Amino acid sequence: MKKYIFKRVLLGLLVLAGVVTITFFLTRVLPSNPAAQWVGPRATKEQIEAATVELGLDKPLLVQFQKYTTDLLHGNLGVSLRTKQPVLNELKSYIPPTLELVIISTILAVMIGIPLGLYSAKKKDKLLDHFCRFFSVGAVSLPTFWVALFLQLIFYRWLQLLPLGGQLDAKLKLLYSIPKFTGLLTVDTLISGNMKLFFDAAKHIVLPAVTISLYPIGLVARMTRSALLEILGEDYIKAARSYGLKENLVLWKYALKNSLGTTATVLALSIGYTLVNTFLVEAIFNWPGIGNYISTAVMSMDYPAIIGVTLFSACSYVILNLLADIIIAIDPRVRV
């Protein structure tokens, strides 16, 4: 197992090195002038030249790349051209709100997607199976921005049950100090014991979390069903049934356990996808997360911020893939 994990870690480091190299050189060929962005729209030619020297843009690309990788190894992602703040500090403030959405969507994917796929496989070609397949295909296929607008129309405009967007009601922001322990608002308000803030934060997170969770729910349900249909035909399942074991015991204890490798891989990839592809949902719900940050960085050609988010997403994918590989490697046949 140690050898297996070591190989996966090395492959992950190679992927990160490739991402750093490709992203760095791609951002340097974009049609923009970082020095002009740094000094502002009314800068003189002399100010732009001074900024070029200050940012090290007058040096050869290889020298710039060497300096960037050295800074990166020391935990320095550079400074945003738009806000003049360290990119790492900005990521620390924007990642937790997105992470909060992703955690809730992952919990929903596990709690809904796995049972949905399991009972769909159990009732193959019956009404429940048709419904589950229809739901899972629809959940994966529907555009997230359309789902977000549709949910807003129903639960805010028609039913008036849930807020339109944001993390907290504006009045509560003025009346109470917002606790900051973990950066996850629902967790922080619960820790602080302010239940009024907690319930308001929980109401605000329902619609964006449900919108984001639809894709992983559908994906997990489909993969669980496909894996179980193959497993349910194996000899050891037939033997378990012949011993007179209850069907639910056979499904949950024996069949599902051997399908979790495929499900874990798909779930890990869907978490990585969700983590960095929430900008449309965050824009619609006015959610201050990483998606909102990267969309603003792209519009303003803020390449240090773009590289920072790209590295964060690459690290997320590598770590999640590593966790999925470790889960799969519990089966000794995979390690061999």
Side-chain angles (χ1 to χ4, degrees), residues 16-25 28 56 59-72 307:
L16 291 178
V19 169
V20 170
T21 304
I22 293 171
T23 309
F24 178 86
F25 286 103
R28 290 306 190 273
K59 296 181 174 62
L61 274 179
L62 290 178
V63 176
Q64 294 182 43
F65 180 67
Q66 182 182 6
K67 183 180 182 302
Y68 182 79
T69 51
T70 303
D71 291 342
L72 192 62
I307 297 178

Side-chain angles (χ1 to χ4, degrees), residues 146 149-164 207:
W146 183 87
L149 294 172
F150 187 69
L151 291 177
Q152 284 182 333
L153 180 65
I154 294 175
F155 292 98
Y156 173 74
R157 184 71 177 87
W158 292 347
L159 301 178
Q160 297 182 356
L161 293 175
L162 296 171
L164 184 65
L207 291 184

Side-chain angles (χ1 to χ4, degrees), residues 33-36 38-39 43-58:
N33 188 348
W38 181 259
V39 293
T44 63
K45 184 179 179 181
E46 291 76 14
Q47 289 175 322
I48 294 175
E49 290 176 352
T52 302
V53 175
E54 181 184 354
L55 296 173
L57 300 175
D58 57 328

Side-chain angles (χ1 to χ4, degrees), residues 100 181-182 184-192 198:
E100 190 172 17
F181 301 107
T182 63
L184 310 178
L185 187 58
T186 51
V187 176
D188 291 345
T189 52
L190 190 60
I191 292 173
S192 66
F198 170 74

Side-chain angles (χ1 to χ4, degrees), residues 87-108:
V87 172
L88 186 61
N89 291 344
E90 292 191 326
L91 288 178
K92 287 179 180 178
S93 62
Y94 281 100
I95 288 173
T98 298
L99 191 60
E100 190 172 17
L101 290 178
V102 172
I103 290 172
I104 294 176
S105 69
T106 304
I107 293 172
L108 291 175

Side-chain angles (χ1 to χ4, degrees), residues 14 53 84 148 156 171 183 195 205 207 228 230 237 279 289 291:
L14 286 175
V53 175
K84 308 296 188 296
Y156 173 74
K171 293 180 181 178
M195 301 311 293
I205 204 173
L207 291 184
L228 281 173
E230 183 178 349
I237 297 295
F279 55 93

Side-chain angles (χ1 to χ4, degrees), residues 123-168:
K123 303 290 184 180
K124 183 184 177 184
D125 294 330
K126 294 185 179 179
L127 183 61
L128 179 61
D129 181 33
H130 295 317
F131 170 76
C132 292
R133 283 190 292 169
F134 176 79
F135 173 79
S136 58
V137 171
V140 172
S141 305
L142 289 174
T144 53
F145 68 89
W146 183 87
V147 174
L149 294 172
F150 187 69
L151 291 177
Q152 284 182 333
L153 180 65
I154 294 175
F155 292 98
Y156 173 74
R157 184 71 177 87
W158 292 347
L159 301 178
Q160 297 182 356
L161 293 175
L162 296 171
L164 184 65
Q167 282 188 297
L168 278 176

